[in-house]
C-alpha cells in the first residue's frame, strides 16, 4: 500500500513526440527559448495564418449586404437565398473531415495553398453569375460555385489548424485565440466592404476584389509559408480511433452548440431589435457587440488555456455564462426583466466574452485528449483533430440560423433565446458530468505538456489505461 501511495501523484505526462521521457534536473534550454519567443519560422507561419483567416471570413460575409437583392431580381425565393448562404457551412461540415484525413498524404502546405486558390477563384466566378438567365440556371450555379468555394475554404482552414498545432505545440490555444481575432475582423469588415464596392462598381466588383485579395494572399504565402512536409509521415489518421475516445463526444457537442450560439443571431436579432425603431447603422453596431468582445477576449482565453491548463473549467464556466447571456437577450420570462435595449446589449456583450471562454480551449483539449489516450502526436492526429473541429463548427454554423429562424417564427425571439440558453447550459452538465466520470477512471490528473515525469513500472489505480499508442486496427 505504501508503494501505491508513493505513485498517486506520479501520473505520466505525454511529451510532444508522443513518448514519455525521463525527468531531468536541468530545464531544456531549447524549450525555454522557444517558450520565451517565437522563432522566425513560427512568425512567418503566424502571419500566413492570420491573412488566411481574415480573407476566409471576408469571403463568407462579403455578399451579405447586396446579394439577397440581386438574387430576388433573378426570381430566387427567400428560402432559396437562405440556403445559398447556409450551403457554405453544410459543405464545410462534410469536406473538413475529408481534408483532415488526406492532409498527411498530400501535405499541409499544398492543401492550404490549393484551398486558397479554389476559394479565390470561386469568388471571382461568383461575380459573373449575374450574366446567367433568371430562375433555375442562376440558382443551380449559385449552389455549385458556393459549394466549391466551401470545399476550398474547408481545405485551407483545416490545413491551417493542423499547421498551427504542428508549429506551435506549446502555444496552440494562444495562437488560435489570436486567429479568432482576425476571423472576427474579417467577418466584421466583409459586409461594409461588400456594400461599398457594390455601390461603387455594381455586382461584379466585390467578388473580383475579394477574389483578387485571396489570390494575392495565396501568392504571398507561397513564399512566406515555410515548407512543412519533408519530415512528416504520409500515414493517414484514423477517425475510428479518434471517436473511440470517450472525451471526443462531449467536446464535439460543445463545439456544435458554441458555433450554433454564435450564428443563431444572424437571421433573428435584427428582427428582434426592430421594436426599438433603430436605424440600420445602430443595428449593425449592436451586432458588433458579440463579434467585438469575442475578438478582444479570445487571445486572453487562449493565454489562460495554454498557461494555466484549466481547459475543462474554462469550457464549463464559458458555456454557463453564455446560457445566462441568452436569458438576458430575450429577455427570458424566467428572469422577469423589462424588455429594455440595454439589457439585450448586456446579454450580447456577455455572450461575446463567454462563448470565447468556452470555445477557444476546446481545440487544445481535443489534441491533449487524443495524445493522452494513446494516439501519436504527429501530423496525422493533428489533421484529423483539425478536421473534426472545423467540421463540427461548420455544422453548428449551419444549424444555428436554421433552428433560430424556425423557433423565432413559431414562438418568438424570447422563447427561442431561452431554448438556446438551455442548449448552452446542457453543455455545462455534459462536460461537468463527463469530467467527474473521467476523473474516477483515473484520467483526472493529467497535465499535458506541462512537465515530463517518469512512468513507474508498478501499476496503480491512477495510472493511465493506455501508456503506449495502441493498435487501433
Amino acid at each position: 500500500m505504501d508503494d501505491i501511495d508513493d505513485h498517486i501523484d506520479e501520473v505520466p505526462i505525454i511529451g510532444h513526440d508522443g513518448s514519455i521521457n525521463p525527468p531531468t534536473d536541468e530545464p531544456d534550454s531549447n524549450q525555454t527559448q522557444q517558450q520565451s519567443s517565437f522563432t522566425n519560422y513560427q512568425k512567418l507561419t503566424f502571419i500566413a495564418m492570420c491573412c488566411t483567416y481574415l480573407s476566409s471570413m471576408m469571403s463568407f460575409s462579403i455578399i451579405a449586404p447586396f446579394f439577397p437583392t440581386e438574387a430576388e431580381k433573378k426570381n430566387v425565393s427567400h428560402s432559396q437565398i437562405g440556403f445559398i448562404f447556409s450551403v457554405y457551412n453544410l459543405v464545410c461540415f462534410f469536406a473538413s473531415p475529408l481534408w483532415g484525413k488526406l492532409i498527411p498524404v498530400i501535405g499541409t502546405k499544398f492543401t492550404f495553398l490549393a484551398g486558397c486558390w479554389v476559394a479565390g477563384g470561386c469568388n471571382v466566378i461568383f461575380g459573373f453569375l449575374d450574366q446567367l438567365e433568371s430562375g433555375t440556371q442562376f440558382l443551380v450555379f449559385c449552389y455549385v460555385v458556393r459549394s466549391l468555394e466551401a470545399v476550398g475554404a474547408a481545405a485551407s482552414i483545416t490545413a491551417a489548424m493542423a499547421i498551427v498545432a504542428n508549429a506551435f505545440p506549446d502555444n496552440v490555444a494562444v495562437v488560435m485565440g489570436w486567429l479568432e481575432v482576425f476571423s472576427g475582423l474579417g467577418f466584421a469588415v466583409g459586409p461594409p466592404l461588400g456594400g461599398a464596392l457594390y455601390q461603387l462598381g455594381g455586382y461584379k466588383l466585390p467578388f473580383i476584389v475579394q477574389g483578387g485579395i485571396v489570390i494575392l494572399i495565396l501568392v504571398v504565402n507561397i513564399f512566406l509559408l515555410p515548407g512543412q512536409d519533408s519530415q512528416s509521415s504520409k500515414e493517414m489518421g484514423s477517425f475510428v480511433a479518434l471517436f473511440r475516445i470517450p472525451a471526443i463526444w462531449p467536446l464535439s457537442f460543445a463545439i456544435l452548440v458554441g458555433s450554433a450560439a454564435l450564428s443563431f443571431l444572424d437571421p433573428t436579432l435584427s428582427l428582434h431589435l426592430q421594436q426599438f425603431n433603430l436605424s440600420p447603422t445602430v443595428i449593425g453596431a449592436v451586432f458588433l457587440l458579440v463579434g467585438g468582445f469575442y475578438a478582444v477576449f479570445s487571445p486572453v482565453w487562449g493565454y489562460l488555456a495554454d498557461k494555466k491548463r484549466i481547459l475543462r473549467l474554462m469550457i464549463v464556466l464559458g458555456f454557463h455564462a453564455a446560457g445566462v447571456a441568452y436569458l438576458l437577450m430575450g429577455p427570458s420570462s424566467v428572469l422577469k426583466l423589462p424588455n429594455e435595449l440595454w439589457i439585450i446589449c448586456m446579454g450580447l456583450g456577455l455572450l461575446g466574452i463567454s462563448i470565447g471562454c468556452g470555445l477557444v480551449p476546446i481545440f487544445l483539449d481535443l489534441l491533449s485528449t487524443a495524445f493522452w489516450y494513446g494516439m501519436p502526436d504527429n501530423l496525422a492526429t493533428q489533421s484529423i483533430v483539425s478536421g473534426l473541429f472545423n467540421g463540427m463548427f461548420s455544422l453548428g454554423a449551419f444549424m444555428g440560423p436554421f433552428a433560430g429562424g424556425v423557433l423565432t417564427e413559431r414562438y418568438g425571439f424570447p422563447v427561442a433565446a431561452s431554448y438556446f440558453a438551455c442548449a448552452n447550459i446542457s453543455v455545462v452538465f455534459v462536460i461537468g458530468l463527463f469530467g467527474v466520470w473521467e476523473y474516477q477512471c483515473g484520467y483526472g490528473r493529467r497535465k499535458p505538456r506541462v512537465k515530463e515525469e517518469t512512468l513507474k513500472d508498478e501499476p496503480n489505480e491512477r495510472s493511465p489505461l493506455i501508456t503506449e499508442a495502441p493498435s487501433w486496427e
Side-chain angles (χ1 to χ4, degrees), residues 412-428:
F413 185 89
V415 176
S418 298
Y419 274 108
F420 269 74
C422 293
N424 282 277
I425 297 299
S426 70
V427 174
V428 176

Side-chain angles (χ1 to χ4, degrees), residues 173-178 293-311 314 317-318 321 350-362 364:
V174 170
V175 175
M176 291 301 299
W178 277 106
F293 279 105
Y294 180 79
V296 169
F297 279 88
S298 288
V300 178
W301 304 134
Y303 177 83
L304 288 176
D306 270 329
K307 303 306 177 184
K308 301 301 181 182
R309 299 287 171 160
I310 48 174
L311 307 181
M314 291 178 64
L317 293 178
L350 179 60
L351 177 65
I353 296 172
S354 59
I355 203 65
C357 179
L359 282 175
V360 169
I362 294 180
L364 178 59

Side-chain angles (χ1 to χ4, degrees), residues 216-237:
L216 176 62
I217 292 175
L218 163 66
V219 173
V220 172
N221 282 340
I222 291 176
F223 304 99
L224 185 66
L225 186 64
Q228 305 195 0
D229 303 316
S230 58
Q231 302 297 325
S232 62
S233 171
K234 300 299 181 182
E235 180 183 358
M236 291 190 294

Side-chain angles (χ1 to χ4, degrees), residues 441-461:
C441 290
Y443 291 90
R445 294 194 177 191
R446 55 186 165 132
K447 303 173 184 177
R449 293 180 182 165
V450 175
K451 180 182 178 182
E452 304 289 351
E453 296 182 357
T454 305
L455 176 62
K456 300 295 183 181
D457 294 331
E458 299 87 344
N460 64 76
E461 63 180 358

